[in-house]
Amino acid sequence: MTRRNFLKNAATVVAALQVPVAQHATAQASEPVVHRVEIQQFRFVPDTLKVRPGDRVVWVNRDIVPHTATAVDGNWDTGKIEANGVAEIAVVTASTNAYFCIYHPSMKGRLELVPVDA
Amino acid sequence: MRVPEILLAVVMTSLASCATVQADSPAELNDLEIAHVAYTADNIDIRYAHFALALSDNPEVHAFARTMIRDHNAVNEQALALLEKLEVQPQDNFLSQQLVENSVRLVDEMSKLRGGAFDKRYAENELAYHQAVNALVANDFIPNIENAEVKSLFQQGLEIFRAHEKHAQMMVEQLN
């Protein structure tokens, strides 16, 4: 993936995720975290992540074929992640997101959202 | 479920000749012949996929076919790069030739089908084809490949083609 495509994809995903979230009177208990998912041998590793709004999730494709990480409910999509490519999303929604690879639908993962004050 | 006839015949011949070594056994192919079989098998599936894109209107069939084109081309690129690095050429052999002959017959058969009948036949063949090729790769090729880099590429390829097999199974179930 070129740097332009990476930034374009990231910006597209962030823009698509500008959905209303619950207002919290208190500040976040912890700083945003960057989570890393490795795509290896047609698996998302780890396949489940606990994330908070404001965190970022980065997928790194270690396979020799392209993949995607795409929300089952259509809420977000990394687009094509080329072999040895990287893509990321910003976590802003307040709902649990199951996701899969559009090209290889047996590949599945999950983002489990933890409330900000948890 | 129909297994491609030629691959079934090859496997049966291989099993029947365990006591004596035959020159036309998949397990007797050398690394360069195995590479040729893999490249041929990839290209055959790419051909089937282009055929499906041309003759099918089913979006699931199209999605599967595009994945086959994308993935088999990626594997072929890796294989060719490795062969170039090793400064060798793949070697034609009886199994590559039989795969091609069988694919010609199958394309002729599928060209007479349209609509749901085509989709089902394409999906059925994709599942059987991947099952048969995966068995060959796992049982006859990988254990006998001598070059470590070639073996590693085949192991990666097997993971890909097993995912294709699962996807083909899903497609068959959706179409039935």
Side-chain angles (χ1 to χ4, degrees), chain B residues 6-173:
Chain B
I6 199 64
L7 286 174
L8 182 59
V10 167
V11 170
M12 296 287 283
T13 301
S14 177
L15 291 172
S17 63
C18 282
T20 59
V21 174
Q22 291 190 354
D24 58 353
S25 164
E28 296 301 314
L29 295 174
N30 63 43
D31 286 10
L32 299 182
E33 290 169 321
I34 289 172
H36 193 283
V37 171
Y39 188 76
T40 300
D42 279 338
N43 283 337
I44 286 172
D45 211 39
I46 291 169
R47 185 183 183 202
Y48 291 156
H50 282 295
F51 205 52
L53 289 177
L55 292 191
S56 175
D57 294 323
N58 186 300
E60 294 299 325
V61 170
H62 277 221
F64 180 89
R66 282 193 290 270
T67 291
M68 293 306 103
I69 292 168
R70 190 183 304 116
D71 288 0
H72 286 292
N73 272 322
V75 173
N76 275 353
E77 283 176 19
Q78 293 285 323
L80 290 176
L82 178 56
L83 292 172
E84 187 174 336
K85 174 187 171 185
L86 298 174
E87 297 182 335
V88 293
Q89 294 289 327
Q91 293 176 0
D92 198 1
N93 57 86
F94 80 97
L95 186 51
S96 291
Q97 291 158 21
Q98 287 174 349
L99 287 175
V100 170
E101 287 170 14
N102 195 52
S103 74
V104 170
R105 281 194 291 273
L106 187 67
V107 166
D108 184 56
E109 176 195 337
M110 289 199 293
S111 68
K112 298 178 174 68
L113 303 175
R114 291 295 185 272
F118 174 88
D119 294 342
K120 288 185 69 173
R121 187 68 186 98
Y122 173 71
E124 174 190 273
N125 181 70
E126 284 298 303
L127 178 57
Y129 187 72
H130 282 90
Q131 286 172 332
V133 172
N134 289 348
L136 269 178
V137 171
N139 301 327
D140 290 304
F141 291 171
I142 288 178
N144 295 312
I145 292 172
E146 295 181 355
N147 181 281
E149 289 181 277
V150 174
K151 185 182 292 252
S152 174
L153 181 57
F154 267 78
Q155 287 166 334
Q156 292 178 77
L158 184 57
E159 291 293 334
I160 297 168
F161 305 143
R162 281 176 171 159
H164 291 178
E165 185 180 324
K166 289 180 189 174
H167 195 171
Q169 178 72 58
M170 293 167 64
M171 187 171 56
V172 166
E173 290 168 0

